[in-house]
Amino acid sequence: MTDPIKIDIWSDIACPWCYIGKRHLEAGIAGLGENAPDIEIEYHSFELAPDTPVDFEGSEIDFLAAHKGMPEEQVRQMLGHVSGVAKAAGLDYDFDALKHTKTLKAHELLHFAKEHGAQLALKERLLSAYFTEGGHVGRIDELVGFAAEVGLDADAAREALESGRYAAAVQADIAQAGAYGIQGVPFFVFDGKYGVSGAQPAEVFGQVITQVGAERSGEAA
């Protein structure tokens, strides 16, 4: 029995292109139909702005204007463009409601969820909360609530976050990203061989999966 094709994804909850890239990947897999091979997806931690406070005072426009040194009007145009791309992917971003925060604890929780078979469900829940619902994904109380929503034990999730048990795993992911030369996310690694940077169109993901599958079968891609 052939092992599933492994897709490792470096991603940050606070990255709008990461949610779009997730949807594009899902569409690329769905587009293969009955020809889609078995696929295993694992998310890895990446912090785009590690110096962000948990409770950032201000809007997403305020943060980006300061963080990127851009005029506010330019930031508004940029967010408008991102919202349009997200809409085309079926996502309804609400940057006005978004609560910018440090995502370190969310990444720890994703490692906890991985151990309990719920990483993909939690990743979707956190991205949806952050970009479409104005949810806070930086504080332990709210994170425990999201964990419970996807069927994880709330007390165990709280203990994992308060103890910092998965902090080393998060840093190991970040170090691996550095070793790979990853400077931005999303970044997808297929079968440990092919790297794809950015929220590429669904067709690109479908083509890479098809190529990997063909190579595994000993056929020419």
Side-chain angles (χ1 to χ4, degrees):
M1 190 172 178
T2 305
D3 290 334
I5 291 174
K6 180 75 181 295
I7 306 177
D8 292 286
I9 307 172
W10 274 262
S11 170
D12 192 4
I13 295 103
C15 164
W17 293 106
C18 290
Y19 203 3
I20 294 167
K22 183 177 186 293
R23 282 293 183 270
H24 286 181
L25 174 64
E26 291 163 352
I29 294 170
L32 296 175
E34 295 180 356
N35 296 320
D38 291 333
I39 289 171
E40 177 189 348
I41 294 173
E42 180 177 343
Y43 280 94
H44 299 274
S45 307
F46 192 95
E47 272 197 293
L48 284 171
D51 56 343
T52 306
V54 171
D55 291 303
F56 176 76
E57 297 293 337
S59 67
E60 180 72 349
I61 291 174
D62 294 333
F63 175 81
L64 289 172
H67 186 72
K68 293 182 177 295
M70 296 166 57
E72 285 192 11
E73 184 53 38
Q74 188 177 350
V75 173
R76 290 182 191 279
Q77 292 174 0
M78 181 179 72
L79 294 182
H81 169 68
V82 173
S83 294
V85 178
K87 179 75 77 176
L91 300 170
D92 190 14
Y93 282 5
D94 187 348
F95 284 111
D96 291 334
L98 187 151
K99 293 180 175 61
H100 203 90
T101 186
K102 184 174 180 63
T103 56
L104 189 65
K105 283 296 176 184
H107 285 298
E108 291 181 24
L109 187 63
L110 284 165
H111 277 276
F112 168 78
K114 181 177 71 173
E115 282 199 356
H116 294 83
Q119 190 194 47
L120 299 187
L122 182 65
K123 182 72 173 183
E124 176 67 28
R125 185 67 195 96
L126 293 177
L127 286 167
S128 178
Y130 187 73
F131 283 109
T132 73
E133 303 167 23
H136 201 301
V137 301
R139 294 191 295 240
I140 289 177
D141 285 349
E142 284 88 339
L143 288 170
V144 169
F146 295 133
E149 286 181 31
V150 300
L152 291 164
D153 182 89
D155 291 337
R158 183 178 295 278
E159 187 279 328
L161 292 175
E162 290 180 348
S163 68
R165 184 150 36 98
Y166 295 92
V170 171
Q171 295 307 315
D173 274 354
I174 293 170
Q176 182 64 65
Y180 278 155
I182 298 171
Q183 296 180 323
V185 288
F187 194 93
F188 305 80
V189 178
F190 292 79
D191 245 13
K193 296 194 297 183
Y194 298 109
V196 175
S197 179
Q200 299 295 328
E203 296 76 19
V204 171
F205 290 121
Q207 289 166 4
V208 176
I209 292 167
T210 299
Q211 180 177 339
V212 171
E215 289 180 0
R216 281 184 165 207
S217 303
E219 302 169 1

